C-alpha cells in the first residue's frame, strides 16, 4: 500500500501499475492522515492505494512507486496475504507479470 496527496496522482499511479501488469488491481480511497514529519505535527487529506499484486513482484512494485511517487519519503508497505479465495488468487496471478518482468 501507499498514499499520495491528490486524487489525480492516485489515479495516474494506479493506472500505471495496472497497465504495466505490476498490479492486477489498485483500489483508491480518500483518507485523513495524522503524522509527524520533520518535527511538525501534520493532518492531511491523502489517497490510499491498495495495490493487489503477488509477493514475488514486491521489489519491482516498490521500485516503480519510488520512481513515480510525488513524496520525498513515500509510504510503501507490503501486507502479506495468508489466505484468500482460490479463484481470486488465481485471477490475481494471471493478471500480473512474471517476477522477471515478462507479461504472462
Amino acid at each position: 500500500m501507499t498514499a499520495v496527496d491528490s486524487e489525480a496522482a492516485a489515479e495516474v499511479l494506479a493506472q500505471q501499475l495496472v497497465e504495466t501488469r505490476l498490479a492486477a488491481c489498485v483500489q483508491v480511497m480518500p483518507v485523513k492522515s495524522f503524522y509527524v514529519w520533520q518535527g511538525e505535527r501534520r493532518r492531511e487529506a491523502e489517497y490510499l492505494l491498495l495495490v493487489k499484486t503477488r509477493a514475488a513482484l514486491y521489489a519491482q512494485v516498490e521500485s516503480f512507486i519510488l520512481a513515480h511517487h510525488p513524496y520525498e519519503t513515500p509510504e510503501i508497505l507490503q501486507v502479506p496475504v495468508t489466505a484468500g479465495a482460490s479463484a481470486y488468487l488465481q485471477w490475481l496471478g494471471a493478471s500480473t507479470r512474471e517476477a522477471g518482468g515478462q507479461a504472462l
Side-chain angles (χ1 to χ4, degrees):
M1 78 176 107
T2 192
V4 296
D5 59 354
S6 73
E7 187 173 14
E11 288 183 6
V12 167
L13 189 54
Q15 288 174 0
Q16 290 174 332
L17 286 163
V18 171
E19 287 171 2
T20 59
R21 298 190 67 170
L22 287 171
C25 172
V26 179
Q27 294 174 314
V28 176
M29 57 203 86
V31 296
K32 289 182 185 173
S33 295
F34 297 80
Y35 58 97
V36 176
W37 177 247
Q38 298 179 340
E40 181 182 322
R41 286 186 297 180
R42 308 285 299 263
R43 177 180 184 254
E44 305 286 343
E46 291 187 298
Y47 289 83
L48 180 66
L49 288 80
L50 298 180
V51 180
K52 311 299 179 66
T53 191
R54 294 182 284 126
L57 291 173
Y58 175 80
Q60 291 178 41
V61 170
E62 179 181 324
S63 294
F64 188 90
I65 291 172
L66 285 170
H68 296 89
H69 204 287
Y71 291 178
E72 178 183 339
T73 306
E75 166 193 21
I76 305 172
L77 297 174
Q78 178 184 34
V79 179
V81 174
T82 58
S86 177
Y88 179 82
L89 295 176
Q90 288 174 359
W91 168 81
L92 190 145
S95 297
T96 54
R97 67 166 84 171
E98 289 292 330
Q102 298 296 319
L104 296 175

